[in-house]
Amino acid sequence: RDFQSRYRRYWRMNVARLSKTFYDHYFALLDACRTSRSTDVRHILKELGRRRTGSRGLQFSFATKLAHSVDPRLPVYDSFVASFYFYVPPLPTRPQPERIDSLLGFYDWLRGEYSRILDSRLLTPALEAIRARWSILSAIPDERLIDWAIWGWVSYLRHGAQRQGKALYT
């Protein structure tokens, strides 16, 4: 229970105000995926939606967080990452299969983009600076650092940095 509490707090899952049944199902699925080393987000989504657990919507972000927990080299999808790449997720009023295909299509692209960034060493100086500044060990993969950099930048912009003249596009 302590792990689940810390996990939910870290991933900001409590904001969603989901049912105990959802969380019980989520953590049982996390354990099963960890044991089998499964990171198939489509499968995770299917399993999360298999039972009525009080979940409102797909919980796609939570599915990618579960997959990331099994393999930390996988990126995490959330509104910050979507905003950074100007991805507009499909409206909840769209048919679920259409929404899933769109989200998974973006997620597949995102995985490829992280690979391209790392293979081309596009952020190597920035990632090294992040590691040095916060004494981050190599056990934390570069993909996770990219997530943190995106979250930091989008958060900075959402808190008015551009309007205040602190972050200008030139």
Side-chain angles (χ1 to χ4, degrees), residues 13-159:
M13 293 176 79
N14 295 327
V15 174
R17 299 178 193 258
L18 298 167
S19 71
K20 179 184 180 317
T21 305
F22 174 85
Y23 290 120
D24 289 345
H25 183 56
Y26 182 91
F27 286 107
L29 181 57
L30 174 59
D31 188 51
C33 288
R34 185 187 56 78
T35 300
S36 69
R37 305 296 299 159
S38 172
T39 58
D40 180 342
V41 175
R42 183 179 295 273
H43 171 76
I44 292 167
L45 274 175
K46 179 181 172 189
E47 288 300 312
L48 285 176
R50 209 166 54 109
R51 294 190 216 162
R52 286 280 147 233
T53 57
S55 171
R56 301 174 307 277
L58 292 176
Q59 304 305 335
F60 187 77
S61 177
F62 293 164
T64 67
K65 290 169 182 175
L66 189 153
H68 170 83
S69 296
V70 174
D71 181 354
R73 292 167 299 150
L74 294 174
V76 172
Y77 170 87
D78 67 1
S79 66
F80 282 58
V81 171
S83 294
F84 183 81
Y85 286 108
F86 302 102
Y87 171 69
V88 179
L91 296 172
T93 55
R94 303 302 307 156
Q96 189 168 345
E98 179 184 319
R99 292 174 59 213
I100 290 171
D101 286 345
S102 177
L103 288 160
L104 287 171
F106 176 75
Y107 189 70
D108 286 343
W109 175 86
L110 186 65
R111 291 176 65 178
E113 179 64 3
Y114 277 35
S115 291
R116 183 187 73 82
I117 289 167
L118 294 173
D119 292 346
S120 300
R121 302 180 52 80
L122 298 176
L123 291 178
T124 298
L127 299 177
E128 288 172 352
I130 291 169
R131 284 191 189 285
R133 168 68 175 86
W134 284 284
S135 301
I136 298 172
L137 302 175
S138 62
I140 305 292
D142 287 342
E143 291 86 351
R144 188 72 185 123
L145 298 185
I146 294 171
D147 284 336
W148 289 342
I150 289 172
W151 292 342
W153 180 249
V154 172
S155 179
Y156 187 60
L157 292 177
R158 285 185 178 179
H159 284 93

Side-chain angles (χ1 to χ4, degrees), residues 1-9 27 30 69:
R1 290 292 169 201
D2 182 52
F3 167 77
Q4 290 181 19
S5 176
R6 285 184 285 125
Y7 184 99
R8 286 171 53 178
R9 194 170 36 256
F27 286 107
L30 174 59
S69 296

